[in-house]
Amino acid sequence: MQNDDWARDKAEFAASPVHAPHPAGNTDSSPLGRQFAQLTALLLNADTVAEALEHVVRATFAVVPDADVVSVTLRSADGILHTPVETDPIGAELDRLQNRYGHGPCLEAAQEAMAYKHSGDLAGEPAWPRFGPAAAKLGFASVLSTSLVPDAVPPRLSGALNIFSRQRGKLGDDVVRDRALLLATHASLALAHTEAVRLAELQEAQMRRAVDSRDVIGQAKGILMQRRGIGADEAFDLLRRMSQDLNVKLAELAHTLAARHTEIDLLGD
């Protein structure tokens, strides 16, 4: 899925004049009602669990105004988080940080049935003293993780739907929580009813995307190292800072540099 597809979905939904269901129950004129009706139809026709979860993540990104990154986290039997679907590769990095530190919103929500984990100030969140500042360093200030209902049959995947915002004090109001609960329920139903639910399938999809992202970021780092005479860590820090300053996803910026480095000024080169 292309990054501009996520942005287009969100922009079209935000531009719609009505954002709540029709009071009479008729959803024909309600963008939110149409979004959920379309999501239900897509889930019923999904061929794989990865495809079904992708539909849920796309819908979440569209209907939550302050969402900057959305992901689905699944927790394996050994407690390790996996990120089969996200709107940005940084979603998987946020899960890796929680695996490393042993705490965080996605990890905790995935351990409990129908739990919310929220913070509007990740940098100073006492519940996650190591993860919070690390997430803030990556540019995120608020988070809402809503647990998925564990599947009733093996492999009994549990998990969470995660929404991250770059703005402080966001994602904590009742409207956002209600939408997240509905979307997490859709994701849970997708896990329960999609044939051949296998964690290996989801891990393989995650690995393919991670390899693609690492390859293009590695190419961009190499170009910067050669052109600017800097080390690998400096090149990555430069890419990350420019990604945040330009509000462009890291992988997208790296792809542009790798593809067009002979045509453009390399970050002030």
Side-chain angles (χ1 to χ4, degrees):
M1 181 176 302
Q2 299 298 315
N3 290 331
D4 54 355
D5 289 340
W6 298 108
R8 189 180 306 115
D9 279 359
K10 195 178 191 72
E12 289 175 357
F13 184 85
S16 302
V18 180
H19 292 280
H22 192 280
N26 180 358
T27 62
D28 290 345
S29 61
S30 164
L32 185 60
R34 288 199 301 272
Q35 184 78 41
F36 277 99
Q38 181 184 37
L39 175 59
T40 299
L42 289 170
L43 294 181
L44 290 173
N45 290 293
D47 293 326
T48 66
V49 65
E51 180 185 348
L53 294 179
E54 187 173 282
H55 292 316
V56 173
V57 167
R58 178 190 285 272
T60 305
F61 189 73
V63 306
V64 177
D66 296 309
D68 290 309
V69 171
V70 178
S71 68
V72 167
T73 286
L74 294 180
R75 182 172 177 266
S76 58
D78 59 4
I80 299 299
L81 297 181
H82 303 277
T83 317
V85 183
E86 72 282 294
T87 59
D88 188 294
I90 204 167
E93 175 62 23
L94 290 163
D95 274 356
R96 282 193 290 270
L97 287 171
Q98 292 174 81
N99 283 329
R100 181 189 308 167
Y101 299 137
H103 65 233
C106 314
L107 185 63
E108 293 178 12
Q111 292 173 338
E112 303 176 32
M114 300 321 300
Y116 294 106
K117 299 297 176 181
H118 170 260
S119 175
D121 182 16
L122 280 168
E125 178 55 60
W128 311 310
R130 299 183 69 188
F131 170 76
K137 187 176 181 181
L138 292 175
F140 297 100
S142 299
V143 62
L144 175 65
S145 291
T146 305
S147 66
L148 308 183
V149 178
D151 194 4
V153 297
R156 293 187 57 80
L157 299 176
S158 64
L161 175 68
N162 314 299
I163 309 170
F164 288 88
S165 175
R166 297 188 184 277
Q167 302 179 64
R168 290 183 63 191
K170 299 297 183 180
L171 308 176
D173 61 79
D174 290 341
V175 172
V176 172
R177 288 194 175 200
D178 289 346
R179 291 185 182 183
L181 176 59
L182 286 171
L183 289 155
T185 301
H186 275 74
S188 300
L189 292 173
L191 286 171
H193 292 98
T194 304
E195 290 185 5
V197 176
R198 295 291 184 270
L199 187 57
E201 170 201 338
L202 300 173
Q203 290 172 329
E204 181 182 355
Q206 176 189 356
M207 186 176 297
R208 284 197 301 268
R209 287 193 302 275
V211 167
D212 290 344
S213 295
R214 283 199 299 269
D215 284 349
V216 73
I217 290 172
Q219 291 175 36
K221 282 171 53 180
I223 292 167
L224 287 174
M225 291 166 63
Q226 181 181 29
R227 292 280 292 273
R228 303 199 63 175
I230 58 179
D233 290 341
E234 292 176 281
F236 181 79
D237 286 342
L238 180 57
L239 282 171
R240 182 175 55 80
R241 289 198 306 271
M242 292 303 299
S243 170
Q244 294 175 356
D245 292 344
L246 298 173
N247 195 27
V248 175
K249 294 178 176 63
L250 180 61
E252 184 177 331
L253 175 63
H255 182 271
T256 300
L257 289 176
R260 303 183 58 193
H261 65 93
T262 59
E263 307 171 29
I264 60 178
D265 179 14
L266 284 178
L267 308 181
D269 183 29

